[in-house]
């Protein structure tokens, strides 16, 4: 989730790198699914290319799994030994604590202007960008073409009613999971947001346009009532209760040919292809038509102020975000480019692996991201993971569960501002 990277000219760096030696320390997440594909290889190649042109600068990169990397950085910062840079899942807490450089103190104007606008906006805390997008993905609806053909279904659904009708036909043909609904604690916040965005009246997501939590909106209550009554209640989501079905297990079941339909991100392409599953991908159906937006996800690069070195950090990051390097990373790990130049290059390419990512790229311009700029989001996300499955349980109350989550979100938001 790279081959040796070429050297590109850094345009408009934020100051001279000087002649004295300096070592920059970067902690990064591992996007690989094995030791052979570890992100360490990507960073080793990139750093080697950078250091060849900058003999006074060394870049020391430590790569950790996604299970550990956020905690590693948190511990380093708490111990007073913040890295110069971190490429992890969230930035807002560090920005609110005054520990990060603004992106404008680091990056050239050209680099800043190249980021996709919705990703730059999502990287803002208190109207200043501190989070620098690093990798992105969106969600589309995957469907098993073989199961569809056996059930006599000739086209993918474009509305919820069509999705439910197709799921009923698949169930009648003995498909184990007609439509998988992973609302288990692993990644329930993602599945939840995708359904919210595709709901009635355009869907509201977790927040409104000004960032106020709207978890218990009328549209969201209607969405989960429909899921409870029209999918789960009719036995169309499989033998495992949605609140106990994790995303990874749902993906495995799809790759094993047991799932008719489910929301997925680019990782599922390779997973399904390895098992020989013939699948199609379409935009997420909406209540009465195509969903207003897809859910987007971004990971973040950030730079800590503790050690200084803003000019060196900026020069290195301008190199990291060159079009060539962004494309190399995106292609290696099946992620979407975070810059306009790389995104356009991928869109214009019909070669592998770019072509397989086109359906996800198509969703990116209108995608909506988690409210990662809110320091309360971590607590809200954890509450969603723990509780949202109960909203669609046989004895569950969508309104009650969403009202409870709204109360949690409001309290967390107030606490983060106090």
């Amino acid at each position: 989730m790279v081959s040796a990277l070429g050297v590109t000219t850094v345009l408009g760096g934020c100051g001279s790198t000087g002649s004295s030696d300096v070592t920059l320390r970067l902690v990064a997440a591992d996007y690989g699914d094995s030791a052979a594909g570890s992100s360490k290889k990507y960073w080793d190649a990139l750093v080697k290319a950078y250091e060849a042109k900058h003999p006074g600068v060394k870049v020391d990169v430590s790569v950790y799994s996604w299970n550990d990397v956020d905690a590693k950085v948190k511990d380093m910062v708490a111990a007073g030994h913040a890295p110069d840079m971190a490429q992890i899942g969230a930035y807002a807490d560090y920005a609110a604590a005054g520990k990060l450089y603004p992106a404008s103190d680091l990056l050239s104007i050209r680099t800043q202007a190249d980021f996709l606008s919705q990703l730059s906006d999502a990287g803002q805390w208190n109207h200043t960008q501190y989070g620098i997008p690093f990798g992105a993905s969106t969600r589309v609806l995957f469907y098993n073409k073989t199961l569809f053909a056996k059930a006599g279904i000739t086209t993918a659904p474009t509305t919820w009613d069509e999705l439910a009708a197709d799921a009923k036909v698949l169930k009648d043909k003995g498909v184990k999971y007609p439509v998988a609904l992973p609302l288990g604690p692993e990644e329930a916040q993602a599945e939840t947001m995708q359904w919210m965005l595709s709901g009635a009246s355009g869907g509201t997501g977790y927040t409104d346009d000004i960032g106020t939590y709207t978890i218990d909106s009328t549209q969201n209550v209607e969405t989960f009532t429909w899921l409870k009554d029209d999918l789960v209640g009719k036995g169309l989501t499989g033998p495992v209760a949605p609140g106990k079905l994790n995303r990874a297990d749902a993906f495995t079941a799809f790759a094993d040919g047991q799932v008719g339909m489910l929301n997925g991100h680019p990782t599922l392409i390779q997973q399904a292809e390895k098992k020989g599953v013939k699948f199609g991908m379409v935009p997420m159906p909406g209540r009465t038509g195509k969903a207003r937006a897809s859910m987007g996800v971004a990971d973040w690069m950030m730079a800590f102020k503790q050690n200084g070195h803003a000019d060196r950090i900026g020069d290195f990051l301008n190199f990291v975000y060159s079009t060539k390097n962004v494309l190399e990373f995106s292609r290696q790990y099946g992620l979407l480019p975070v810059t306009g130049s790389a995104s356009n290059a991928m869109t214009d390419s019909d070669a592998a692996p770019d072509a397989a990512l086109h359906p996800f790229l198509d969703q990116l311009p209108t995608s909506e991201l988690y409210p990662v700029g809110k320091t309360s989001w971590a607590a809200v996300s954890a509450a969603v993971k723990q509780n949202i499955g109960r909203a669609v349980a046989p004895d569950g109350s969508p309104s009650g569960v969403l009202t409870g989550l709204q109360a949690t979100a409001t309290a967390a938001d107030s606490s983060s501002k106090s």
Side-chain angles (χ1 to χ4, degrees), residues 351-412:
D354 296 352
L357 293 172
H358 286 176
F360 300 92
L361 275 171
D362 292 343
Q363 301 299 305
L364 192 56
T366 58
S367 65
E368 291 192 13
L369 281 73
Y370 301 132
V372 290
K374 298 171 76 67
T375 56
S376 57
W377 170 241
V380 173
S381 177
V384 171
K385 292 178 181 181
Q386 183 178 353
N387 295 296
I388 195 63
R390 295 190 291 108
V392 299
D395 59 348
S397 167
S399 177
V401 171
L402 293 178
T403 298
L405 289 171
Q406 177 70 28
T408 297
T410 301

Side-chain angles (χ1 to χ4, degrees), residues 20-369:
S20 59
D21 289 349
V22 65
T23 297
L24 301 177
R25 291 179 171 80
L26 165 64
V27 175
D30 194 350
Y31 291 83
D33 56 7
S34 65
S38 171
S39 295
K40 186 176 189 313
K41 292 190 174 183
Y42 163 78
W43 287 111
D44 285 349
L46 185 146
V47 166
K48 182 178 179 181
Y50 181 78
E51 290 177 350
K53 291 292 185 179
H54 300 81
V57 181
K58 299 294 182 184
V59 184
D60 179 19
V61 183
S62 300
V63 175
Y64 298 98
S65 77
W66 273 110
N67 292 330
D68 302 323
V69 67
D70 289 282
K72 288 284 187 182
V73 173
K74 183 178 181 179
D75 290 345
M76 293 171 73
V77 173
H81 301 296
D84 296 287
M85 295 166 283
Q87 185 270 298
I88 51 178
Y91 66 87
D93 285 350
Y94 299 122
K99 295 183 180 297
L100 301 181
Y101 284 114
S104 58
D105 285 2
L106 305 167
L107 303 173
S108 70
I109 293 174
R110 178 170 178 170
T111 299
Q112 292 179 72
D114 199 20
F115 290 115
L116 299 173
S117 59
Q118 73 271 35
L119 299 181
S120 293
D121 291 346
Q124 293 184 6
W125 177 81
N126 202 23
H127 309 295
T128 298
Q129 184 182 356
Y130 295 93
I132 306 169
F134 187 74
S137 68
T138 57
R139 299 293 198 274
V140 299
L141 183 74
F142 283 71
Y143 65 97
N144 185 310
K145 288 185 173 181
T146 302
L147 296 179
F148 266 49
K150 288 180 178 178
I153 304 171
T154 57
T155 58
T158 59
T159 67
W160 286 4
D161 286 345
E162 290 177 3
L163 182 144
D166 290 345
K168 173 67 165 60
V169 175
L170 292 166
K171 180 188 178 185
D172 291 344
K173 290 293 183 179
V175 174
K176 187 173 182 180
Y177 295 91
V179 53
L181 186 64
L183 294 175
E186 178 198 0
E187 204 183 32
Q189 82 286 1
E191 187 75 11
T192 295
M193 184 170 176
Q194 184 62 74
W195 283 100
M196 285 177 170
L197 291 173
S198 62
S201 304
T204 62
Y206 287 110
T207 61
D208 61 18
D209 291 340
I210 61 172
T212 301
Y213 283 110
T214 55
I215 297 173
D216 64 347
S217 69
T218 300
Q219 295 99 313
N220 290 341
V221 172
E222 289 177 356
T223 291
F224 276 86
T225 300
W226 185 87
L227 289 172
K228 177 179 182 292
D229 295 344
D230 288 60
L231 287 188
V232 182
K234 294 181 178 178
L236 302 180
T237 55
V240 180
K244 296 186 180 301
L245 181 64
N246 281 326
R247 189 268 309 164
D249 295 330
F251 277 22
T252 297
F254 186 85
D256 288 339
Q258 300 175 335
V259 177
M261 297 173 280
L262 86 165
N263 293 318
H265 53 66
T267 302
L268 185 54
I269 294 176
Q270 188 176 26
Q271 193 172 346
E273 287 178 342
K274 284 181 179 178
K275 291 291 192 75
V277 173
K278 292 181 171 56
F279 60 89
M281 298 178 291
V282 294
M284 173 68 180
R287 185 70 183 91
T288 56
K290 181 181 175 182
R292 174 178 63 85
S294 172
M295 189 199 73
V297 177
D299 301 321
W300 304 97
M301 178 74 75
M302 62 211 70
F304 288 88
K305 295 192 295 186
Q306 179 177 324
N307 305 316
H309 307 315
D311 55 348
R312 272 61 172 263
I313 294 170
D315 194 66
F316 176 67
L317 291 179
N318 281 321
F319 176 77
V320 169
Y321 285 102
S322 68
T323 302
K324 176 182 175 62
N325 291 344
V326 171
L327 275 172
E328 290 279 8
F329 175 80
S330 300
R331 287 166 174 164
Q332 178 76 8
Y333 297 107
L335 293 171
L336 304 182
V338 297
T339 63
S341 59
S343 185
N344 290 338
M346 185 174 280
T347 299
D348 292 341
S349 169
D350 291 324
D354 296 352
L357 293 172
H358 286 176
F360 300 92
L361 275 171
D362 292 343
Q363 301 299 305
L364 192 56
T366 58
S367 65
E368 291 192 13
L369 281 73

